Amino acid sequence: KNMSVTLARIDDRLIHGQIVHAWIEYSKAKHLLIADDFASTDKTSQLMLRLAAPKTIKLVILSLEETINYIKENENEPIFLIVRNPESMLKLLNLGLVLSEINLGNISMTKSQTGRKMLLKNIHVEQNDVDCLKAIAEKGVYIYIKLVPDERPIDAIDLINKKY
C-alpha cells in the first residue's frame, strides 16, 4: 500500500483559499501535488497555482504520467494530491496509484457543460463524472464529500445512487 498520499482530492479549482489551507493542515503533507495534464504545461495556470499555494508547502505541478513516478520517488513523504476531475483520478488509479479513499471537493457548474446535475451545492456532475466515480468505487476506493475536514463525511456513491 502506498503510504505517501495522505490526502487525495478532486477539485476543479485545484487550489483555492481557506479550503486548501484547512486540508493541507489536516493532511500533514509536505508536498502539494497538482496532477493535471493542462496545468503541467500551461505557464499561466502554474503562476496562478503558485500564487494560491501557501509558502509553507512544496508545490509540484505534474502531468498524470509524471505524478505516478513522483509519488513512487517520494514514498516516505506525506503528499496532498489534487486533481481537477473524476476522470483524472481514475486515470491515475489505472496507471497504478493505490488509494483507499478520495475526498470529492468542488465540481463547478459551468455553462459550457450540458446535462450537469447538482449532487450538493458545490458539486455538479455530468454522466462522465458519475461513470468515473463509480469506476473508482469499484476499485474499492471510498469516495467521501466534506467541504472542510471537521465536517461529517457524506458517501458520494450513496448520494449518486439516490440522485441518479
Side-chain angles (χ1 to χ4, degrees), residues 152-164:
R152 184 189 297 267
I154 297 166
D155 186 314
I157 300 298
D158 280 355
L159 197 58
I160 284 169
N161 289 338
K162 279 184 194 127
K163 299 235 179 179
Y164 266 78

Side-chain angles (χ1 to χ4, degrees), residues 95-107:
L95 286 168
L97 179 64
V98 177
L99 295 171
S100 57
E101 56 179 42
I102 291 165
N103 171 236
L104 179 58
N106 292 281
I107 302 179

Side-chain angles (χ1 to χ4, degrees), residues 21 37 58 66 72 78 139 142 144 150 152 156 162:
H21 285 265
D37 287 340
K58 180 181 177 181
E66 294 164 333
K72 279 184 188 141
K139 292 177 179 289
Y142 170 54
Y144 66 92
D150 55 9
R152 184 189 297 267
K162 279 184 194 127

Side-chain angles (χ1 to χ4, degrees), residues 67-96:
T67 292
I68 299 298
N69 289 331
Y70 187 87
I71 290 169
K72 279 184 188 141
E73 286 159 15
N74 294 278
E75 63 183 351
N76 299 317
E77 292 282 311
I79 296 169
F80 177 8
L81 171 67
I82 305 179
V83 302
R84 195 182 296 271
N85 51 41
E87 190 174 352
S88 294
M89 192 67 85
L90 180 58
K91 279 183 186 162
L92 287 175
L93 293 167
N94 287 337
L95 286 168

Side-chain angles (χ1 to χ4, degrees), residues 121-161:
K121 62 181 184 295
N122 58 319
I123 301 174
H124 301 80
V125 292
E126 59 187 4
Q127 192 59 51
N128 183 50
D129 298 320
V130 170
D131 294 344
C132 290
L133 289 168
K134 286 184 171 176
I136 290 168
E138 277 161 22
K139 292 177 179 289
V141 182
Y142 170 54
I143 308 164
Y144 66 92
I145 301 166
K146 282 200 225 185
L147 203 57
V148 288
D150 55 9
E151 269 185 4
R152 184 189 297 267
I154 297 166
D155 186 314
I157 300 298
D158 280 355
L159 197 58
I160 284 169
N161 289 338

Side-chain angles (χ1 to χ4, degrees), residues 42-55:
D42 183 69
K43 294 281 178 270
T44 308
S45 296
Q46 289 171 19
L47 181 65
M48 298 308 284
L49 290 165
R50 291 196 189 288
L51 289 171
K55 303 288 170 269

